[in-house]
Amino acid sequence: MRDAAVTPEGDRIRWVELPGQEPPRVYVHGLGATSPAYFTQVAVHPLLAGHRSLLIDLLGHGISDRPVSFDYTLEAHADALAEALTAAGVTGAELIAHSMGGSVAVVLAARHPRLVSRLVLVDANLDPIPRAPGSSGSSGIAAYTEQQFLAGGWEEVRDRVGPHWWSTMRLAGREALHRSAVHLVRGSVPTMRELLLDLKIPRTFLLPEADGPLPGTDALTASGVSVVAVPDCGHNIMLDNPEAFARVTAAALTDQELDQDPSERRPRRSPAAACR
């Protein structure tokens, strides 16, 4: 495990690092998740292994610190991540980022372009979404005020999301979880989608095939974003169908054309419906 101070108060982001060749690859988890738990299997897959890989936990999550004074906006997450990557000597990284982590990665690429050479977004949030009381995920968490969430809303969320997602969500600071959800549903200004459209680096967006067409696909592809539907998976693509995930991600990182491998079509879906 490695770490770096990322705030003036000395709060630290931590990550698991696998040695290998450059350019480095940085794996970024979603809301209430942790990168080692969600990405280790695919990071060591033969199609993706061999690069220096940082499985990094955003501030407030996983093995990183959980400062109560931090505001956990997408921009603040991106800037803290930039501090960690700079301390690690990372430039021109290939970011593989899931859900909320994808939103942070887009903001990072826009604010700190020297750090990012390529994006693979895994069913990431691109637009603001409405708050939805009683739902799981960011829209349900953000429906509480922070006081309500700390006073007992987190227990209701625990019971809604189930044991799989809660196994990593419980590691997040409660203020961090709530504020991250609030700012995720609010989105960035400009929006993550607008930032993504303006980026000039190679960009790929992975989504579950069963979800149907991604809204705004035409505009994304016109701007150079490759949109790839992955079969037999839910929101947690890397957990539900790791073979397909490794294949399409490896192709995205090397600009290869994608052909469907029928052997990857098998029913796999994790119990966690989402971490966004």
Side-chain angles (χ1 to χ4, degrees), residues 110-161:
R111 291 168 71 91
H112 304 277
R114 69 179 183 84
L115 296 176
V116 184
S117 64
R118 190 181 293 260
L119 284 176
V120 178
L121 304 176
V122 186
D123 208 19
N125 302 66
L126 297 182
D127 306 296
I129 57 177
R131 304 182 187 203
S135 69
S136 60
S138 58
S139 60
I141 295 172
Y144 297 95
T145 67
E146 185 168 308
Q147 183 178 9
Q148 290 170 337
F149 186 74
L150 298 178
W154 69 270
E155 295 172 310
E156 297 173 358
V157 169
R158 175 199 63 195
D159 296 339
R160 287 200 297 268
V161 302

Side-chain angles (χ1 to χ4, degrees), residues 75-122:
E75 292 81 4
H77 271 305
D79 290 347
L81 181 55
E83 291 287 341
L85 296 180
T86 299
V90 167
T91 58
E94 300 172 336
L95 262 69
I96 301 97
H98 180 229
S99 197
M100 183 188 79
S103 306
V104 173
V106 170
V107 176
L108 174 72
R111 291 168 71 91
H112 304 277
R114 69 179 183 84
L115 296 176
V116 184
S117 64
R118 190 181 293 260
L119 284 176
V120 178
L121 304 176
V122 186

Side-chain angles (χ1 to χ4, degrees), residues 97 108 158 193 239 241:
L108 174 72
R158 175 199 63 195
R193 183 181 296 272
L239 298 178
N241 196 341

Side-chain angles (χ1 to χ4, degrees), residues 6-21:
V6 298
T7 68
E9 296 75 25
D11 303 299
R12 307 187 81 81
I13 276 181
R14 297 180 179 87
W15 64 93
V16 172
E17 184 163 332
L18 307 175
Q21 66 185 19

